[in-house]
Amino acid sequence: MESTPDTSQYLILGYAVFFIVSAIYLVSLYVRNRSLQRDLETLEGLDAEK
Amino acid sequence: MTPKPVLLKILDYLSIVLLAVATYLALVYAPTEAVMGDVQRVFYFHIGTAWVGLLGFVFAAGLGIAYLVTKDMKWDIVEVAAVEISVVFFFITIVLGSVWARPAWNTWWTWDPRLTTAAVTELIYVAYFMLRAGIDDPERRARFGAVYALLGGLSAPLTFMAIRLFRSIHPVVIGAANENQDKMNMTGDMRVAFFFALFTFTVIFIDMFWNRIRLGQLQDKVEQLKLKVM
Amino acid sequence: MPTTSHPSFIHATLAVVRKDLTAEFRSRELLSAMLVFSLLVILIFNFALELNVKERQSVTAGVLWTTFAFAGTLGLNRSMAVEKDRGCLDGLLLAPVDRAAIYFGKVISNLAFMFMVEAFVLPIYAALYNVNLFHPGLLLVILLGSIGYTTVGTLLASMTVQARTRDVLLPILLFPVAIPVLLSAVKASTGFLNGADMAEIWPPLNLLIVYDLIFTAVAFMVFDNVVEE
């Protein structure tokens, strides 16, 4: 009788990839958002001065 | 920058909650599959992200048409959002497919039509960003991006069909194993995890899509202001 | 009878083709580059692959189409780059001619260059590897495959020539999108070369035709957006 193989290592690998890549993307969105917000504030300041 | 709409904030939280539930369903609730063991559980997220990826790419082709017809920049912003999110999720799809293949068929890669088409499609959309990166004029960038998103979207199903033609000539053990995979019989519990994952990823897609569009709008605003001020 | 200086679509298209072909025959830069390149590719394959008699059967179509694809890219790049550098593109655009005529003219001249390369490569490969390649079916596949490849390639080359990363970008954009053409062409070519049943050859051939039709139609609808200055 065949027993179910223990492939839990790959399971962990798979889900780790999912969460890590998702996290990287979310962080990238957040960082880009912040940097653009700062640019916007700077530019709006320059614009107001004109 | 307009403050985040309440609806979007709700969607953000909802996405997180749904993802938590989907993860629980996939990892705990669903029974362990007899033949492959625990690694089969990646399947739920593999399909979920594949669904998101495909959705985004099909969208992008349509959005490309919308831009070419209207020449309204907003379509370009939305199109970039769709492609970017799809690239990320489809990448996950491909890696999960590979992770699943390794213990199941003792190889990190199978040249089966779906996985190979996914890889080719992913390359198309990475190329999309390389094209855009090489063009400075925003209007031209939008036009060319739209054309390529359309061409890419049309070629993907044809790629799938072309690869399927090749499979029939190659006698490959992996192919046989894949047939089994296609006919995977899911128990009731598995089906719950499966459909819930699809639902979750659809919500996540909408949430990320909206967020990414807002980012694009902010970027557009900054660029306009830059031209005005400098 | 309307007296307009607008040349008809066909005239305009043929004028573009004639311009490209005569320019090329005077300088022969493009063609010689493509031919030499093709020979090099075949040579490299000789070392890279085990092209013994048995393997040849399964690998010939792949080697040929890889050669055509790379040489084709070279041709596409140079053909568009020459236009851009000499400012011909602007001149063409000023002419009172439907842009589509310019596009189709370019497709036809690029196709002509590709055919010339193929006409050169086929006998050489046949001689080097003692394979009979003059099968009408194979020639049909080469025709259809080249059409699909050049149609999309000209469109993409028109875009990449205006980007900063010009030369490198075309293969990156073209190859993934051209995979249906390349795969179907190889499958159908192999079928014809090995004397397979039409039932086996028809699916890839069909796909090739479908691809050509779809992308010719799309290119026609979209070209305007790609050559506007």
Side-chain angles (χ1 to χ4, degrees):
Chain A
M1 188 146 74
E2 259 182 60
S3 66
T4 304
D6 177 22
T7 50
S8 51
Q9 277 183 321
Y10 291 98
L11 173 65
I12 295 172
L13 176 62
Y15 276 85
V17 165
F18 171 77
F19 282 107
I20 291 173
V21 172
S22 303
I24 292 175
Y25 184 59
L26 287 173
V27 166
S28 129
L29 283 180
Y30 175 71
V31 165
R32 279 186 285 169
N33 194 31
R34 243 195 9 193
S35 129
L36 281 171
Q37 292 278 27
R38 256 179 295 159
D39 286 348
L40 188 66
E41 279 161 36
T42 314
L43 287 168
E44 276 174 345
L46 287 172
D47 193 31
E49 278 167 35
K50 277 181 130 184
Chain B
M1 181 63 178
T2 57
K4 211 178 219 189
V6 173
L7 185 57
L8 185 55
K9 284 193 197 158
I10 296 176
L11 207 56
D12 287 344
Y13 289 125
L14 184 62
S15 301
I16 297 175
V17 168
L18 286 176
L19 185 61
V21 174
T23 308
Y24 170 78
L25 288 178
L27 290 179
V28 178
Y29 180 80
T32 307
E33 203 260 351
V35 174
M36 281 184 273
D38 278 322
V39 74
Q40 179 270 345
R41 295 174 190 275
V42 304
F43 166 75
Y44 304 112
F45 277 33
H46 171 73
I47 300 295
T49 51
W51 160 240
V52 165
L54 284 173
L55 201 61
F57 291 146
V58 169
F59 253 24
L63 292 167
I65 296 176
Y67 175 79
L68 292 174
V69 167
T70 65
K71 295 293 194 300
D72 186 343
M73 261 314 194
K74 75 165 181 266
W75 294 118
D76 183 58
I77 294 175
V78 179
E79 178 191 301
V80 171
V83 177
E84 189 178 289
I85 293 178
S86 294
V87 162
V88 173
F89 277 98
F90 226 42
F91 174 74
I92 294 175
T93 303
I94 293 169
V95 174
L96 289 185
S98 179
V99 164
W100 186 7
R102 178 68 180 149
W105 303 299
N106 205 32
T107 173
W108 284 109
W109 186 259
T110 84
W111 289 101
D112 85 288
R114 274 179 295 203
L115 207 55
T116 311
T117 305
V120 171
T121 308
E122 183 79 352
L123 283 174
I124 291 178
Y125 293 102
V126 168
Y128 171 86
F129 284 114
M130 293 181 70
L131 173 63
R132 291 185 71 105
I135 300 171
D136 295 321
D137 173 31
E139 193 268 332
R140 181 179 293 162
R141 193 168 52 211
R143 244 186 307 128
F144 286 5
V147 169
Y148 195 64
L150 178 59
L151 291 179
L154 286 173
S155 77
L158 293 173
T159 297
F160 181 73
M161 289 187 252
I163 297 176
R164 242 187 2 180
L165 290 174
F166 258 78
R167 256 186 91 194
S168 58
I169 215 185
H170 286 285
V172 160
V173 173
I174 290 170
N178 272 344
E179 296 302 345
N180 291 336
Q181 164 201 330
D182 291 353
K183 298 180 182 79
M184 180 160 56
N185 286 317
M186 287 194 278
T187 66
D189 294 346
M190 285 177 169
R191 254 182 260 272
V192 169
F194 176 72
F195 285 110
F196 195 83
L198 280 183
F199 171 67
T200 298
F201 278 98
T202 309
V203 171
I204 291 178
F205 175 74
I206 297 171
D207 178 62
M208 306 231 63
F209 194 30
W210 192 346
N211 273 303
R212 181 58 184 84
I213 292 173
R214 280 171 53 86
L215 184 69
Q217 288 168 330
L218 178 58
Q219 191 165 17
D220 189 48
K221 197 165 179 194
V222 167
E223 269 166 18
Q224 305 265 28
L225 210 48
K226 250 185 220 172
L227 289 172
K228 186 179 168 209
V229 161
M230 293 177 172
Chain C
M1 205 64 171
T3 51
T4 162
S5 61
H6 276 249
S8 77
F9 182 84
I10 306 248
H11 281 155
T13 307
L14 288 179
V16 172
V17 175
R18 213 176 323 145
K19 172 192 79 69
D20 279 344
L21 292 180
T22 42
E24 182 50 34
F25 280 125
R26 275 188 214 131
S27 73
R28 284 187 289 269
E29 294 175 342
L30 182 59
L31 217 45
S32 47
M34 286 169 86
L35 295 179
V36 170
F37 184 76
S38 310
L39 286 178
L40 286 173
V41 172
I42 294 180
L43 206 64
I44 291 175
F45 271 122
N46 179 48
F47 297 119
L49 299 177
E50 185 58 62
L51 291 182
N52 63 43
V53 181
K54 183 171 178 271
E55 304 290 332
R56 253 173 254 164
Q57 268 210 325
S58 48
V59 137
T60 290
V63 171
L64 285 176
W65 277 104
T66 309
T67 308
F68 297 154
F70 285 137
T73 308
L74 200 69
L76 287 166
N77 255 334
R78 290 224 53 191
S79 146
M80 293 311 294
V82 155
E83 295 286 352
K84 180 116 176 107
D85 293 339
R86 288 204 204 122
C88 296
L89 214 50
D90 296 335
L92 277 175
L93 289 167
L94 286 174
V97 149
D98 189 355
R99 290 229 171 90
I102 300 176
Y103 169 72
F104 278 112
K106 285 249 72 130
V107 171
I108 292 172
S109 47
N110 284 331
L111 205 52
F113 294 138
M114 204 159 165
F115 286 152
M116 287 180 227
V117 169
E118 286 158 353
F120 182 72
V121 165
L122 284 180
I124 293 200
Y125 188 95
L128 287 177
Y129 295 107
N130 209 19
V131 178
N132 179 24
L133 293 176
F134 292 97
H135 193 296
L138 177 66
L139 297 179
L140 173 67
V141 173
I142 290 179
L143 172 71
L144 292 172
S146 303
I147 288 175
Y149 191 76
T150 311
T151 302
V152 175
T154 304
L155 202 59
L156 294 179
S158 307
M159 290 198 279
T160 59
V161 84
Q162 304 190 53
R164 267 182 282 115
T165 42
R166 188 195 285 189
D167 285 326
V168 162
L169 197 55
L170 181 64
I172 293 176
L173 292 188
L174 180 56
F175 288 156
V177 172
I179 285 207
V181 173
L182 296 174
L183 289 189
S184 308
V186 170
K187 185 95 201 297
S189 300
T190 307
F192 277 121
L193 284 175
N194 298 337
D197 288 332
M198 254 335 259
E200 229 186 274
I201 298 176
W202 178 243
L205 198 58
N206 188 29
L207 192 59
L208 204 48
I209 295 171
V210 166
Y211 185 98
D212 285 356
L213 289 174
I214 292 179
F215 279 89
T216 304
V218 170
F220 194 16
M221 289 188 270
V222 147
F223 174 79
D224 260 350
N225 291 289
V226 155
V227 188
E228 273 177 62
E229 281 298 314

